[in-house]
């Protein structure tokens, strides 16, 4: 192995795909022998068991009485600098540009140029926040001052360039799944808790934000229900939850829709589904569709952001224009009513997830970027995914 690196990782530890990717990446790097220091406001929710190469540093915010708004960003930057000095970190890898890229830049000012910074753009940090003129220049500064920038799809790279007028090279690093965790689980009894004989399960997992188009999720399901006996399982919580609960009641389908709230054991939950619904307005990648793919569950989704780079239309799922719930419902019905076609899609899902988005492949890509910004020659072979 090339030199063992000391890496600080900052992310939103308790929600969203960016936190999941950052935490899983840290765990995989630690398994490969690198020393990983999570610098976050709480313990990342997917951190799991103790590992000798993983350290956790809590960011404590100073809420001195003159502060109307306790300055989290400054506390984070200070903590990054302290940890970097104390543990002689090689680099800080921050996930989600706002405010983390700027905090890393500040930390570097305090520590010195030898500390390298890598920023991974995940989606709404660009597609939503970079549209806000009041913070746009700050996001651009954070990106331009990073030693390397990565984004989770080609579409996000394009959108970053368009919105922020950035020339800087941006590396593509797709989301990944750990194949030791995401594979089709045997969940017959869990499935039977929700469906009767012959019924199908449609599932949606998200943070119930407007970009997820939860109304479309329910509309697609209601249309499918007219043709195929089925249930809708909604996993997650967020601002649109009350609105959706009301919609489900007003449509009179509340006995067919199950609200499961937040769930940690996503691989088991997904394994009971027949289809994943992802009709988002914006979606830089769609980690949940990849998790579903790895469990052999095709996605019915929208042609939005990076989803088409993940879901191969007509092979591992079907994609329709944003808002076209008729087309999405028809595609779902086609798959659910044709067992042979469904099995083909399932096989294609398993193959694609394992071969294109496996943990070894993407972890090696991140390592290559780390060694490059540090100016260390390292031959990281392209792993063979099996
Ligand atoms: O899905 C979300 O809204 C959460 C968000 C986040 O920042 O955690 O997810 C973003 O990052 C994920 C990991 O890279 C991507 O898979 C999601 O597509 C992306 N979400 C959006 O672009 C809306």
């Amino acid at each position: 192995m090339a030199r063992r690196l000391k890496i600080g990782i900052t992310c939103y530890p308790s929600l969203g795909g960016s936190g999941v990717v950052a935490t899983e990446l840290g765990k995989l790097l630690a398994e490969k022998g690198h020393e990983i220091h999570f610098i976050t406001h709480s313990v990342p929710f997917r951190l799991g068991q103790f590992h000798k190469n993983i350290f956790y540093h809590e960011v404590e915010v100073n809420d001195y009485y003159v502060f109307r708004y306790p300055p989290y960003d400054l506390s984070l930057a200070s903590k990054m600098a302290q940890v970097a000095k104390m543990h002689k970190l090689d680099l800080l890898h921050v996930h989600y540009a706002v405010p983390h890229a700027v905090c890393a830049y500040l930390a570097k000012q305090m520590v010195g140029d030898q500390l390298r910074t890598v920023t991974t753009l995940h989606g709404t940090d660009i597609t939503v926040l970079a549209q806000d003129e009041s913070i746009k220049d700050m996001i651009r500064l954070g990106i331009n001052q990073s030693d390397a920038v990565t984004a989770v799809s080609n579409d996000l790279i394009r959108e970053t360039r368009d919105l922020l007028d950035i020339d800087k090279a941006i590396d593509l690093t797709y989301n990944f799944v750990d194949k030791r965790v995401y594979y089709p689980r045997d969940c017959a009894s869990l499935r039977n808790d929700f469906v009767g004989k012959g019924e199908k399960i449609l599932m949606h997992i998200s943070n119930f934000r407007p970009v997820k188009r939860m109304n479309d999720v329910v509309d697609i399901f209601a249309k499918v229900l007219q043709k195929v006996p089925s249930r809708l399982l909604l996993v997650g919580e967020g601002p649109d939850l009350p609105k959706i609960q009301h919609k489900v009641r007003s449509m009179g389908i509340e006995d067919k829709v199950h609200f499961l709230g937040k769930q940690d054991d996503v691989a088991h939950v997904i394994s009971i589904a027949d289809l994943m619904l992802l009709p988002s307005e914006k979606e830089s990648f769609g980690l949940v569709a990849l998790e579903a793919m790895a469990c052999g569950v095709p996605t019915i989704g929208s042609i939005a952001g990076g989803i088409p780079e993940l879901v191969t239309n007509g092979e591992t799922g079907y994609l329709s224009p944003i808002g076209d719930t008729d087309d999405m419902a028809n595609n779902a019905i086609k798959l659910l009513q044709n067992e042979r076609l469904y099995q083909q899609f399932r096989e294609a899902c398993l193959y694609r997830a394992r071969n294109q988005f496996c943990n070894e492949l993407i972890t090696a890509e991140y390592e290559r970027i780390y060694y490059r910004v540090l100016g260390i020659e390292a031959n990281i072979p392209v792993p063979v995914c099996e």
Side-chain angles (χ1 to χ4, degrees):
M1 176 184 156
R3 175 159 87 70
R4 172 185 199 237
L5 300 179
K6 295 184 171 199
I7 304 165
I9 294 184
T10 291
C11 63
Y12 287 105
S14 54
L15 79 176
S18 57
V20 172
V21 168
T23 310
E24 295 296 337
L25 176 63
K27 286 166 27 182
L28 291 163
L29 290 165
E31 272 182 42
K32 292 188 84 171
H34 301 294
E35 187 178 302
I36 303 300
H37 294 260
F38 283 98
I39 308 166
T40 50
H41 61 66
S42 50
V43 181
F45 72 122
R46 292 262 183 109
L47 198 53
Q49 284 173 343
F50 170 77
H51 190 289
K52 70 178 168 52
N53 290 339
I54 297 183
F55 300 79
Y56 166 65
H57 309 273
E58 184 171 307
V59 179
E60 281 168 84
V61 178
N62 183 326
D63 62 356
Y64 191 55
Y65 78 100
V66 296
F67 296 143
R68 180 157 176 212
Y69 303 108
Y72 169 72
D73 310 359
L74 300 181
S75 299
L76 172 60
S78 302
K79 192 75 180 190
M80 284 171 162
Q82 281 163 17
V83 174
K85 281 184 192 159
M86 168 87 82
H87 295 273
K88 300 193 169 40
L89 297 189
D90 293 297
L91 60 93
L92 292 170
H93 184 175
V94 299
H95 293 258
Y96 209 87
V98 186
H100 302 151
V102 173
C103 298
Y105 172 56
L106 276 178
K108 188 175 173 149
Q109 300 298 304
M110 289 181 256
V111 176
D113 229 20
Q114 76 280 7
L115 178 68
R116 298 306 160 106
T117 59
V118 177
T119 297
T120 293
L121 308 174
H122 281 274
T124 47
D125 44 355
I126 298 298
T127 58
V128 175
L129 295 173
Q131 313 243 18
D132 180 344
E133 290 297 331
S134 69
I135 54 172
K136 193 172 184 170
D137 287 347
M138 187 269 298
I139 300 174
R140 186 185 294 111
L141 173 80
I143 290 176
N144 279 332
Q145 293 301 327
S146 298
D147 293 301
V149 178
T150 84
V152 298
S153 62
N154 281 308
D155 190 76
L156 184 57
I157 294 176
R158 182 194 53 73
E159 195 150 1
T160 306
R161 293 201 186 297
D162 288 356
L163 277 171
L164 292 172
D165 194 19
I166 279 177
D167 295 332
K168 195 180 178 74
I170 301 179
D171 291 284
L172 173 66
T173 47
Y174 283 130
N175 288 176
F176 58 90
V177 273
D178 188 336
K179 58 177 182 283
R180 297 164 299 182
V181 179
Y182 288 91
Y183 59 89
R185 305 296 185 104
D186 182 8
C187 294
S189 72
L190 182 59
R191 188 180 161 94
N192 292 339
D193 288 339
F194 293 99
V195 289
K197 204 167 177 307
E199 273 185 312
K200 303 290 186 185
I201 294 182
L202 284 74
M203 184 173 283
H204 172 80
I205 305 182
S206 79
N207 49 20
F208 290 42
R209 294 199 171 267
V211 288
K212 302 294 174 183
R213 294 184 70 99
M214 299 294 298
N215 278 326
D216 287 5
V217 171
V218 176
D219 288 341
I220 297 164
F221 172 68
K223 289 171 193 179
V224 171
L225 189 58
Q226 289 171 9
K227 297 275 168 60
V228 181
S230 45
R231 302 281 172 135
L232 175 63
L233 268 54
L234 294 172
V235 183
E237 275 180 0
D240 284 353
L241 177 61
K243 198 175 84 182
I244 290 308
Q245 285 169 327
H246 179 261
K247 180 176 169 86
V248 165
R249 273 196 305 276
S250 65
M251 292 172 86
I253 53 173
E254 61 269 40
D255 58 330
K256 303 285 181 193
V257 180
H258 304 263
F259 290 88
L260 304 191
K262 285 188 185 172
Q263 297 289 332
D264 267 352
D265 192 358
V266 177
H268 272 99
V269 175
I270 289 181
S271 289
I272 68 170
D274 295 293
L275 291 178
M276 180 61 67
L277 301 181
L278 191 64
S280 310
E281 179 90 34
K282 293 180 190 295
E283 199 66 67
S284 65
F285 183 84
L287 178 61
V288 75
L290 174 57
E291 291 171 338
M293 189 187 277
C295 295
V297 178
T299 289
I300 299 294
S302 54
I303 305 169
I307 298 178
E309 294 173 53
L310 166 64
V311 177
T312 312
N313 189 29
E315 282 180 29
T316 64
Y318 284 114
L319 301 181
S320 314
I322 296 166
D324 192 344
T325 55
D326 281 342
D327 196 50
M328 293 183 202
N330 287 338
N331 287 332
I333 293 164
K334 183 161 64 184
L335 263 181
L336 294 174
Q337 289 185 331
N338 184 338
E339 185 54 29
R340 211 164 61 90
L341 184 66
Y342 184 84
Q343 284 309 323
Q344 268 174 25
F345 273 57
R346 186 175 165 78
E347 291 306 318
C349 279
L350 295 173
Y351 182 84
R352 184 163 167 75
R354 269 188 114 77
N355 286 280
Q356 303 293 320
F357 303 103
C358 74
N359 42 314
E360 290 97 331
L361 204 63
I362 311 295
T363 308
E365 280 170 14
Y366 280 112
E367 279 182 297
R368 252 178 247 122
I369 293 165
Y370 298 156
Y371 287 117
R372 189 184 77 214
V373 298
L374 288 163
I376 298 173
E377 287 239 357
N379 179 23
I380 312 282
V382 178
V384 180
C385 297
E386 292 156 12

